Amino acid sequence: GAGVSQSPSNKVTEKGKDVELRCDPISGHTALYWYRQSLGQGLEFLIYFQGNSAPDKSGLPSDRFSAERTGGSVSTLTIQRTQQEDSAVYLCASSLDRGNSPLHFGNGTRLTVT
Amino acid sequence: AQTVTQSQPEMSVQEAETVTLSCTYDTSESNYYLFWYKQPPSRQMILVIRQEAYKQQNATENRFSVNFQKAAKSFSLKISDSQLGDTAMYFCAFMDSSNTGKLIFGQGTTLQVKP
């Protein structure tokens, strides 16, 4: 059906607050990725989920960042005690499986921390 | 660690002309995958073309083609007959063969197609 859906599209929050970003992958896609895109930069890998395996959290920049994927579908990226340097576009992608299956990206959530 | 470098922050081209975007990468692996993604103002990353490193033949998708030079670790994108809708940011990306699907991106090139 539809592509990868992310919400909210834009989020403005005050420094120190917690935020949750949501990603609905394409139905049937077992792999899900979160990336961060800072202004004028390329995409930085954050975390990867594949089926029921333990997630690859190697890209998370600090322990303020965490993510869950419930029921192998929807994922939530949580940033606690937000800092101004967390301001970026957070992109979610899903793929049919791991390996070289194409990644399908959502439109991202633009997070602004004031 | 693998790295991807795009040395052209911005480029412009006249409509209907051809433009080439550069990308170099660094890896010690022999088998991997390379991609070009397009990001229009909508922010959605759209796959333009991909290349398997073990294939010598350059990938082609309609007006988009690549020049893959494995020894030089170079992977440039050629856009022929440029159209206004090609205006976007273009990212080169690398994926190793570990089957995780993790992409390493370059910094991007902003391409403007002028009428």
Side-chain angles (χ1 to χ4, degrees), chain B residues 43-59:
Chain B
R43 299 199 302 245
Q44 186 178 25
M45 298 286 283
I46 302 166
L47 178 64
V48 174
I49 199 166
R50 80 177 209 173
Q51 174 85 39
E52 289 93 344
Y54 62 85
K55 290 186 177 179
Q56 292 185 340
Q57 186 173 5
N58 289 325

Side-chain angles (χ1 to χ4, degrees), chain B residues 28-46:
Chain B
S28 58
E29 299 196 9
S30 60
N31 194 24
Y32 47 86
Y33 306 90
L34 295 164
F35 305 82
W36 278 97
Y37 278 86
K38 169 185 177 181
Q39 187 181 40
S42 68
R43 299 199 302 245
Q44 186 178 25
M45 298 286 283
I46 302 166

Side-chain angles (χ1 to χ4, degrees), chain B residues 8-80:
Chain B
Q8 305 153 315
E10 296 180 354
M11 292 193 72
S12 64
V13 63
Q14 291 296 131
E15 194 175 9
E17 293 188 348
T18 295
V19 64
T20 299
L21 308 183
S22 301
C23 173
T24 58
Y25 58 94
D26 189 25
T27 183
S28 58
E29 299 196 9
S30 60
N31 194 24
Y32 47 86
Y33 306 90
L34 295 164
F35 305 82
W36 278 97
Y37 278 86
K38 169 185 177 181
Q39 187 181 40
S42 68
R43 299 199 302 245
Q44 186 178 25
M45 298 286 283
I46 302 166
L47 178 64
V48 174
I49 199 166
R50 80 177 209 173
Q51 174 85 39
E52 289 93 344
Y54 62 85
K55 290 186 177 179
Q56 292 185 340
Q57 186 173 5
N58 289 325
T60 299
E61 288 287 341
N62 300 315
R63 297 182 296 106
F64 299 87
S65 61
V66 298
N67 183 6
F68 174 47
Q69 301 290 326
K70 191 172 184 179
K73 296 180 182 173
S74 171
F75 183 61
S76 60
L77 174 70
K78 185 171 81 171
I79 306 174
S80 304

Side-chain angles (χ1 to χ4, degrees), chain A residues 72-83:
Chain A
S73 181
V74 172
S75 177
T76 302
L77 177 69
T78 301
I79 309 173
Q80 296 178 309
R81 306 180 302 281
T82 52
Q83 303 295 314

